Amino acid sequence: MHSAVFLTEFGAIILGLGLLGRLAGRFHFSPIPLYLLAGLAFGTGGLLPMGASEEFVAIGAEIGVILLLLMLGLEYTASDLVSNLKTQYPAGLVDFALNAVPGAVAALLMGWGPVAAVVLAGVTWISSSGVIAKVMGDLGRVGNRETPVVLSILVLEDLAMAVYLPIITALLAGVSLAAGSATLAIALGVAGAVLFVAVRYGRHISRFVSSDDPEKLLLVVLGLTLLVAGIAQQLQVSAAVGAFLVGIALSGEVAEGTHTLLSPLRDLFAAVFFVFFGLHTDPASIPPVLLPALALAVVTAGTKIATGYWAAKRAGIGVKGRWRAGGTLVARGEFSIVIAGLAVTAGIEPALGPLATAYVLVLVVIGPLTARYTEPVAARIGRRRTPAGPVPAKAPFRPGSPEGLKAEAQDPAGRT
């Protein structure tokens, strides 16, 4: 009976996702907000809670994030990553200053204390790599000139999580400085080792993975990605970072073949991830914290747009690309929820969980909209604000020239 209920619930989820995706496609709109609202309607406290398939959906959601980052990594080589990181690290610093500080200030203003301020700073700082990867794919912007800038900022944020998560875990647990330092050193060492292997031995990895049989290629790449992601997460490094590094380690025909094979799986599990997020959001917990969440969302949406604009301008991207880069970075998602979940489990501040949930829900819905419309809206406002210039005066004719003689014949008095 349990198996029958599970199949019914999960089948209904997949069918509903397909219909919502078709509806979004008809209106040329990203389906992500519809996926989230569907999860909100049928999750905890929703219209028709689903319980039998919850565990499977949770695993599918985690796989969805991993596949999204793997596919994003396949678009770039290891040398691209290293060069982008070398040139874009100032953008990472600007990103931290503009987007982490508002969260910390908001927590202190609400009287939540320094630990909660560090937590909320992380919630507002980190963009959703999963949402942004899906949005860029939906809008066909993966090959745009500003995409490497966006990617560099996301990678810097994901790598920063290898430092931030051990720190916040130690703060929440109240462990000693020595124990926290040891955890941080392990995380940094693992992240550095994986990056070194991807850069130095990427060609050998591609040769090992390569196969003319699509079935074998699919199994090897998927297994390798999940294995590396699991090991990375076990060692306090983001699973998303591990999956992304596997993607950049693969190149050439292997990367192209893997992209073709895994695209349908990515779309399926990515949709499950967004539904899972909505399923675990109780609608009743949102109204009490909605106003602070909206205010924080408006402020940090603006700071993310400013971050992307500044980074793209620094990289020599045109004005349209700068606005597209800024609008693309607005969405928050998986990392923000993970960070808030750690604080809620530790019992730091009861209102922090609902506030983070409402904040992420607002921005994960607004994010695809800002990615699509920030550039055209900015262009329209710019056209309205640009005053019509004066009519340029005609250059005077040289005396004695044919044009000058003709003008004098037409107007001997020299009137204009």
Side-chain angles (χ1 to χ4, degrees), residues 76 128 155 161 344 371:
Y76 300 92
S128 171
V155 172
M161 285 296 95
V344 170

Side-chain angles (χ1 to χ4, degrees), residues 38-357:
L40 192 65
F42 295 99
T44 304
L47 300 176
L48 183 62
M50 295 183 176
S53 58
E54 180 177 345
E55 185 175 354
F56 185 82
V57 171
I59 296 173
E62 194 165 353
I63 292 174
V65 175
I66 290 171
L67 289 179
L68 281 169
L69 270 295
L70 169 67
M71 300 294 280
L72 194 60
L74 289 172
E75 301 291 340
Y76 300 92
T77 64
S79 59
D80 291 335
L81 174 66
V82 173
S83 63
N84 285 335
L85 292 179
K86 286 181 178 178
T87 57
Q88 291 297 330
Y89 75 90
L93 298 177
V94 171
D95 181 31
F96 172 78
L98 291 182
N99 297 286
V101 172
V105 170
L108 293 175
L109 289 176
M110 289 184 284
W112 288 357
V115 176
V118 175
V119 173
L120 195 56
V123 171
T124 59
W125 171 24
I126 305 298
S127 297
S128 171
S129 299
V131 174
I132 291 171
K134 183 69 167 62
V135 168
M136 287 194 299
D138 290 341
L139 297 178
R141 294 182 180 174
V142 173
N144 282 18
R145 285 194 63 209
E146 74 274 4
T147 297
V149 176
V150 175
L151 177 64
S152 297
I153 293 174
L154 294 179
V155 172
L156 286 168
E157 289 180 349
D158 286 344
L159 292 177
M161 285 296 95
V163 180
Y164 176 83
L165 287 178
I167 291 175
I168 196 65
T169 302
L171 286 175
L172 293 173
V175 300
S176 65
L177 179 62
S181 300
T183 303
L184 177 60
I186 293 173
L188 289 175
V190 171
V194 173
L195 182 59
F196 173 79
V197 170
V199 173
R200 187 72 179 269
Y201 302 105
R203 272 185 280 177
H204 300 287
I205 296 173
S206 296
R207 221 176 357 245
F208 167 76
V209 170
S210 179
S211 175
D212 293 331
D213 188 336
E215 179 184 349
K216 294 183 178 64
L217 179 62
L218 173 64
L219 293 174
V220 171
V221 173
L222 185 58
L224 177 64
T225 303
L226 295 176
L227 177 64
V228 172
I231 293 174
Q233 188 161 308
Q234 189 70 27
L235 295 173
Q236 304 298 319
V237 182
S238 166
V241 172
F244 180 82
L245 293 176
V246 170
I248 66 165
L250 303 178
S251 59
E253 295 181 2
V254 174
E256 294 176 7
T258 301
H259 192 283
T260 302
L261 290 172
L262 287 179
S263 290
L265 281 178
R266 174 202 59 187
D267 294 339
L268 170 63
F269 285 107
V272 171
F273 161 71
F274 298 118
V275 170
F276 175 76
F277 180 81
L279 287 173
H280 284 258
T281 302
D282 186 355
S285 66
I286 293 178
V289 294
L290 188 57
L291 287 179
L294 283 173
L296 197 56
V298 169
V299 171
T300 54
T303 54
K304 273 293 180 183
I305 292 174
T307 299
Y309 187 96
W310 183 88
K313 180 180 180 180
R314 182 176 176 274
I317 308 299
V319 175
K320 291 184 178 181
R322 297 173 199 172
W323 287 116
R324 287 195 297 266
T328 302
L329 287 168
V330 167
R332 271 62 157 197
E334 59 274 8
F335 271 133
S336 299
I337 295 301
V338 169
I339 294 167
L342 292 173
V344 170
T345 302
I348 295 299
E349 174 57 49
L352 180 57
L355 175 66
T357 300

